[in-house]
Amino acid sequence: MSQRTFSIIKPDAVRNGYTGAILAEIQKAGFRLVSIKKQSISVKQAEGFYAVHAARPFFKDLCAFMASGPLYLLVLEKDNAIADLCKLMGATNPANADEGAIRKKFAGSIQENAIHGSDGDETAAFEIGYWFAGYELV
Ligand code: CMP
């Protein structure tokens, strides 16, 4: 069944010039690009997005990193989109990502890991609604 997921091409990947290559991987894997926007976000916006991680020791650094430069916000659609994007991205820590995964190819560290993707139905609904208005998703 067709499903939507949310993704971010993170500031490290944008800085390193990997945006086009990552979008090509996503397209090759069969995702439809419902919406995309380039944005520079504030630390406060990052804190709201990652609120579920607020108690983690890496939270402050993570939010500073996400606000360190422009990123791309994406809404993607395909059958089984949430699980398929997780597989395409690979493990959070690129050192543990499978060969061929986006994070294996384009990420440098567990924090600066090139791409974010929603990890479940509820997360996807929250994350899409956090960054996109309904009129941007028609
Ligand atoms: P993401 O999939 O966007 O979800 C939460 C983010 O926190 C994760 O990718 C990483 O960027 C970051 N993260 C997760 N674990 C760690 C960690 N142990 N140290 C630093 N950053 C982390």
Side-chain angles (χ1 to χ4, degrees):
M1 201 183 86
S2 189
Q3 185 183 53
R4 286 182 177 182
T5 191
F6 171 77
S7 182
I8 301 177
I9 300 176
K10 294 188 179 183
D12 60 316
V14 177
R15 254 193 299 277
N16 291 329
Y18 295 148
T19 302
I22 291 173
L23 285 172
E25 298 267 349
I26 289 170
Q27 190 173 21
K28 202 169 64 184
F31 290 88
R32 187 173 81 80
L33 194 51
V34 179
S35 199
I36 179 168
K37 55 187 177 185
K38 187 180 191 185
Q39 201 157 311
S40 294
I41 70 168
S42 67
V43 171
K44 283 265 175 240
Q45 287 174 319
E47 286 172 354
F49 176 67
Y50 279 127
V52 68
H53 296 303
R56 303 287 193 91
F58 57 80
F59 181 67
K60 195 163 180 273
D61 279 354
L62 172 64
C63 293
F65 159 61
M66 293 301 285
S68 69
L71 45 70
Y72 286 86
L73 304 166
L74 316 174
V75 177
L76 304 170
E77 191 171 70
K78 78 185 283 295
D79 288 354
N80 208 28
I82 295 171
D84 285 0
L85 183 64
C86 288
K87 189 164 175 5
L88 182 65
M89 293 191 302
T92 304
N93 186 345
N96 301 329
D98 290 341
E99 220 50 57
I102 287 175
R103 284 173 174 151
K104 189 70 164 189
K105 290 182 182 170
F106 302 113
S109 73
I110 191 167
Q111 177 171 277
E112 304 205 2
N113 62 354
I115 186 167
H116 166 84
S118 306
D119 62 6
D121 279 327
E122 280 179 25
T123 324
F126 165 75
E127 294 181 346
I128 291 170
Y130 189 82
W131 296 110
F132 288 89
Y135 73 87
E136 295 176 293
L137 301 172
V138 289

